[in-house]
Amino acid sequence: MEDFMNAEKIIAIAKREHNTKRSFLVVNRYQGKHVPISPDKPFHMFSALADLTAERYRGERLLLIGFAETATAIGETLAVRLDTDYMQTTRENLPGAEYLYFSESHSHAAEQRVVKNDLDQVIAQTDRIVFVEDEVTTGNTIGKIVRLIRQTYGKKLNFAAASLLNGMDEEARARYQTEQIDLVYLVKTDHSGYSEIAETYINDGSYYECVSFGGNGTFSHEDLHAGKNGFISREGLHAGENRSLNIEELEKNPWELKAKEIIVSGFINARRLHKGREYQKACENLWRQIKERISFGEGKNILVLGTEEFMYAPLYVAQNIQEMGNCVKCHATTRSPIMVSKHQEYPLHERYELASFYQKARTTYVYDLDAYDLVLILTDAEPGENGLELEQPDAESVRSDSASEQPGAEPGENSLELEQPGAVSLSSALYSCGNREIYL
């Protein structure tokens, strides 16, 4: 049996923070979202789900819709392998988009939306819409968007939910059968005891807040539990209640903290309607341009980080870096505030609170950072005056901000300006873990 088919091996239960509707979170260790993982494991698992989906709906004209934020890479993998139409749900504001809104009631960010303009284009040529998820617990959220689409278009459509994990009980499965929503999944799970498991863990992990103090380039890493005794020391951090980056070291080398920016062309916005193979070609182009600018070598420990909903391209690039003979881990920032614990069996142990790449006022998180020889952050956000806002779907670059060439930067690279909150809060978190070679 494949490792990814073994629920005990891939699943860990975490505790959501301040969530009364669903206290537990199912963390898939092989998914490449919250837990750092070698990129071949997610792709192997996603591809198995793609094969099941292709076999089950052979001959049908499919539209795949991946769920933000955790299932976007899964959905894109299915679209690439099946070469189908694809779009994803989103919580972002997209220029020129009209939406169908629905809610994910148990989520930390309940509002979900799908771009109606794009559904309008493809609905007449679609036999079945397949919603792609990492795990389905009750099926309520997918049921809401299915009913909304049926009400909006009045066209007889078939629907399905494809997921890595399925924890629906008999009552939920019977409801789907009545509503004619088919199910495809890799692993059946029993969620009945997950809330009790989550409650057994103690909230004793390490919490860091990475916040800019302003234009002077200093950052605070405050323990969010002010009453805790004892703090974990990290290279570059002062011991004490209000721990900040070693400013004396930064003054000696003022460009140390800045991520080296790589500008690439050929961006396709995964939130908008596209063909899977077209997106794959864009990712191949992304990788060609990255490897022309960064010397990865071989035998190195490398981290590739995605941002929030942007996950497939980072996994794809990470896999290519691994094939060069490097040891690569991949995961992503997230909107999800998850409790961390020192318990060995608990999946997450350290949490960094960050500014978002997409909206300055939004808080995001990343878990269990470490020191690597090289870190590559990949994002589809563009810098804006009020934070980082999404570019138009036909944008010419994945990253193209106005940072000027700085001392120490390689040709074709720029060092990021310190006032950009999302990039710099993540860079500061990575720096605090001992990372010195950071690319964005």
Side-chain angles (χ1 to χ4, degrees):
M1 182 173 66
E2 297 280 2
D3 284 351
F4 61 77
M5 297 296 290
N6 185 339
E8 292 184 3
K9 192 174 186 67
I10 66 172
I11 292 174
I13 305 305
K15 186 174 181 179
R16 298 174 187 264
E17 187 174 82
H18 308 309
N19 191 318
T20 58
K21 295 190 175 180
R22 187 179 296 168
S23 62
F24 68 87
L25 178 71
V26 178
V27 175
N28 188 331
R29 299 181 188 273
Y30 278 34
Q31 191 175 336
K33 179 58 180 179
H34 301 113
V35 179
I37 190 72
S38 170
D40 59 301
K41 293 185 183 298
F43 275 130
H44 195 188
M45 181 168 53
F46 302 168
S47 297
L49 181 62
D51 292 343
L52 282 179
T53 305
E55 179 63 29
R56 192 171 186 91
Y57 306 121
R58 189 179 302 277
E60 295 188 39
R61 298 174 298 177
L62 303 180
L63 168 63
L64 305 184
I65 301 180
F67 262 77
E69 67 177 19
T70 53
T72 57
I74 308 169
E76 196 71 67
T77 302
L78 268 63
V80 168
R81 289 182 66 90
L82 278 60
D83 193 24
T84 58
D85 290 316
Y86 179 74
M87 58 195 297
Q88 66 180 62
T89 70
T90 185
R91 296 182 175 98
E92 305 295 348
N93 292 315
L94 306 177
E98 299 175 4
Y99 301 102
L100 294 179
Y101 292 90
F102 62 104
S103 64
E104 193 172 10
S105 303
H106 63 273
S107 177
H108 51 282
E111 184 183 88
Q112 281 269 28
R113 62 186 88 169
V114 65
V115 179
K116 183 180 183 298
N117 320 45
D118 293 342
L119 281 174
D120 293 345
Q121 290 182 42
V122 74
I123 202 82
Q125 294 81 43
T126 299
D127 298 322
R128 182 183 299 272
I129 296 178
V130 181
F131 293 98
V132 184
E133 269 281 28
D134 54 331
E135 59 103 8
V136 178
T137 302
T138 64
N140 289 338
T141 304
I142 291 174
K144 290 175 185 176
I145 185 61
V146 166
R147 288 189 289 274
L148 182 58
I149 290 174
R150 282 174 170 159
Q151 177 184 347
T152 301
Y153 292 99
K155 177 181 185 290
K156 179 166 176 56
L157 280 168
N158 296 314
F159 291 91
S163 61
L164 303 177
L165 312 175
N166 184 291
M168 298 171 71
D169 59 21
E170 289 185 10
E171 182 181 347
R173 292 197 300 273
R175 186 177 71 250
Y176 262 40
Q177 190 169 17
T178 301
E179 296 183 9
Q180 298 182 314
I181 305 173
D182 198 30
L183 292 170
V184 181
Y185 53 85
L186 291 180
V187 180
K188 188 74 184 74
T189 56
D190 179 4
H191 290 194
S192 59
Y194 286 174
S195 294
E196 289 75 15
I197 293 172
E199 292 301 323
T200 65
Y201 293 112
I202 300 172
N203 184 10
D204 61 354
S206 298
Y207 295 78
Y208 302 99
E209 185 177 14
C210 305
V211 180
S212 172
F213 284 139
N216 61 357
T218 60
F219 287 81
S220 168
H221 293 247
E222 300 173 345
D223 198 294
L224 299 186
H225 292 277
K228 278 181 62 179
N229 294 318
F231 300 95
I232 294 178
S233 297
R234 286 192 172 278
E235 182 182 355
L237 292 181
H238 293 300
E241 184 172 347
N242 183 22
R243 293 168 295 168
S244 57
L245 288 177
N246 191 328
I247 302 304
E248 182 179 342
E249 181 180 347
L250 288 180
E251 287 174 349
K252 292 177 182 177
N253 188 356
W255 309 118
E256 186 85 61
L257 180 56
K258 298 185 179 182
K260 298 173 183 177
E261 183 193 40
I262 303 295
I263 299 172
V264 300
S265 60
F267 171 50
I268 293 178
N269 192 332
R271 299 164 186 83
R272 302 300 303 262
L273 180 66
H274 60 275
K275 288 284 189 182
R277 296 282 168 84
E278 293 174 359
Y279 194 81
Q280 178 72 4
K281 289 178 181 177
C283 290
E284 292 168 359
N285 177 57
L286 169 67
W287 168 237
R288 280 194 298 270
Q289 295 184 65
I290 287 174
K291 70 180 180 179
E292 288 173 0
R293 293 169 169 87
I294 303 176
S295 178
F296 293 103
E298 58 181 302
K300 292 182 179 179
N301 290 315
I302 294 174
L303 173 67
V304 180
L305 273 172
T307 55
E308 302 183 41
E309 297 177 1
F310 186 64
M311 292 173 58
Y312 179 85
L315 279 168
Y316 175 80
V317 170
Q319 186 177 48
N320 279 274
I321 299 172
Q322 181 172 273
E323 290 173 357
M324 298 175 73
N326 294 293
C327 179
V328 182
K329 295 291 180 66
C330 192
H331 57 130
T333 64
T334 176
R335 290 191 184 198
S336 298
I338 308 168
M339 188 195 85
V340 292
S341 174
K342 292 179 181 178
H343 196 286
Q344 187 175 359
E345 293 182 2
Y346 194 80
L348 305 169
H349 308 291
E350 293 187 350
R351 187 177 91 181
Y352 296 81
E353 184 174 329
L354 313 168
S356 172
F357 273 71
Y358 300 90
Q359 186 179 6
K360 184 169 60 174
R362 181 192 304 166
T363 299
T364 58
Y365 307 88
V366 68
Y367 297 88
D368 290 349
L369 295 175
D370 207 340
Y372 297 87
D373 297 318
L374 184 151
V375 177
L376 175 61
I377 305 164
L378 290 178
T379 185
D380 63 348
E382 284 284 344
E385 292 181 1
N386 297 314
L388 298 174
E389 300 174 352
L390 285 173
E391 184 58 74
Q392 296 279 358
D394 59 351
E396 289 299 314
S397 63
V398 173
R399 292 280 312 175
S400 61
D401 57 27
S402 58
S404 58
E405 192 98 344
Q406 302 289 1
E410 297 296 327
E413 300 169 0
N414 290 323
S415 292
L416 236 63
E417 295 294 338
L418 284 175
E419 63 267 17
Q420 297 179 5
V424 182
S425 64
L426 179 53
S427 295
S428 69
L430 289 162
Y431 187 96
S432 75
C433 300
N435 294 287
R436 296 297 179 266
E437 190 171 1
I438 304 171
Y439 293 86
L440 170 62

